[in-house]
Amino acid sequence: MRTRTALSATLAALGLMFLLPAAAHAHGDTLKVVVTGQRAGHVTTDITWENDGDAVDETVAATVNAVSVDGSRTMGPWRLVRDPAAAPAGWTTAEILPPGTWKVSVEVGFPALGKGELEVGVPVVDPAPATGGATTGAGTAGGGATSATGGTPAVSAPTPDSAPGSDAGATAADAASPAPAPSGTQAVSDSEGDAVWWTTAGVAVTALAGAGVGLLLRRRRMRGACRTS
């Protein structure tokens, strides 16, 4: 009885030893690496198992290199990170390719071997256009404001003469505005005028008083002469 139990345990252990490697190699020994292009300059790649096409669950150890078509520029080596936008088989780079045409190669060393290549073009991205307020500049004094991009003259605001009720508004503004204070020169001129007037008035009063006194004295003399005669 003991011999049968030991034999069964040995057979079970041998079975596990053969089954585990078989399960480990169910995906195969190679990876299928497909460089799909670029997104905003980031290289995009799909990596699956060659045999069954399943996505790779493990962390991929890979290098990404890029060479310009004329061979004057090289980029990399970069590593691959998971691409949430292309899950579960998508991978991408954290770095960005400059604008131009590049020969991109991706080599994977873990969890299995695989390689993919593709010629990738990265377009030049034009800067976003400025808003209307920033592109409209001041025009000439007679022509009004003009657009800095299109050169179309802007409609000028109506003049005060053409605006309705402008006369009434101007009259109200004139009435509401305080009268300007006299300047120092005007004050001096007014004081000098007052002094001249008072001087003239004093001379006139003095002359009149003298004439009156003279008349009184003349009358008195005439009365005295009459009494004497």
Side-chain angles (χ1 to χ4, degrees):
M1 187 68 180
R2 293 179 180 178
T3 303
R4 291 181 180 179
T5 303
L7 182 60
S8 299
T10 303
L11 292 176
L14 291 175
L16 290 174
M17 292 177 61
F18 284 104
L19 288 176
L20 288 176
H25 293 283
H27 293 300
D29 296 331
T30 57
L31 295 174
K32 182 180 180 181
V33 180
V34 179
V35 181
T36 57
Q38 61 84 28
R39 183 172 61 252
H42 301 274
V43 177
T44 56
T45 307
D46 287 343
I47 301 177
T48 56
W49 290 101
E50 184 74 33
N51 288 354
D52 53 16
D54 290 343
V56 178
D57 297 330
E58 298 89 340
T59 300
V60 170
T63 57
V64 180
N65 293 277
V67 182
S68 60
V69 290
D70 57 1
S72 61
R73 295 181 296 170
T74 59
M75 304 297 293
W78 298 334
R79 68 186 187 91
L80 287 176
V81 295
R82 288 196 180 273
D83 186 2
W91 298 78
T92 186
T93 58
E95 296 80 7
I96 299 176
L97 283 174
T101 304
W102 302 86
K103 295 179 180 178
V104 178
S105 62
V106 178
E107 296 184 4
V108 182
F110 181 84
L113 300 178
K115 183 177 181 180
E117 294 180 344
L118 183 68
E119 187 172 290
V120 177
V122 180
V124 177
V125 179
D126 295 331
T131 59
T135 57
T136 303
T140 60
T146 58
S147 174
T149 56
T152 304
V155 179
S156 59
T159 59
D161 294 339
S162 61
S166 59
D167 295 340
T171 304
D174 294 340
S177 61
S183 62
T185 304
Q186 291 177 350
V188 172
S189 299
D190 293 342
S191 62
E192 290 180 355
D194 294 340
V196 172
W197 185 87
W198 283 109
T199 302
T200 304
V203 172
V205 170
T206 304
L208 291 175
V213 172
L215 289 174
L216 291 175
L217 292 176
R218 186 175 180 181
R219 287 181 180 179
R220 288 181 180 181
R221 288 177 183 179
M222 290 178 66
R223 287 179 181 178
C226 290
R227 290 176 181 180
T228 303
S229 61

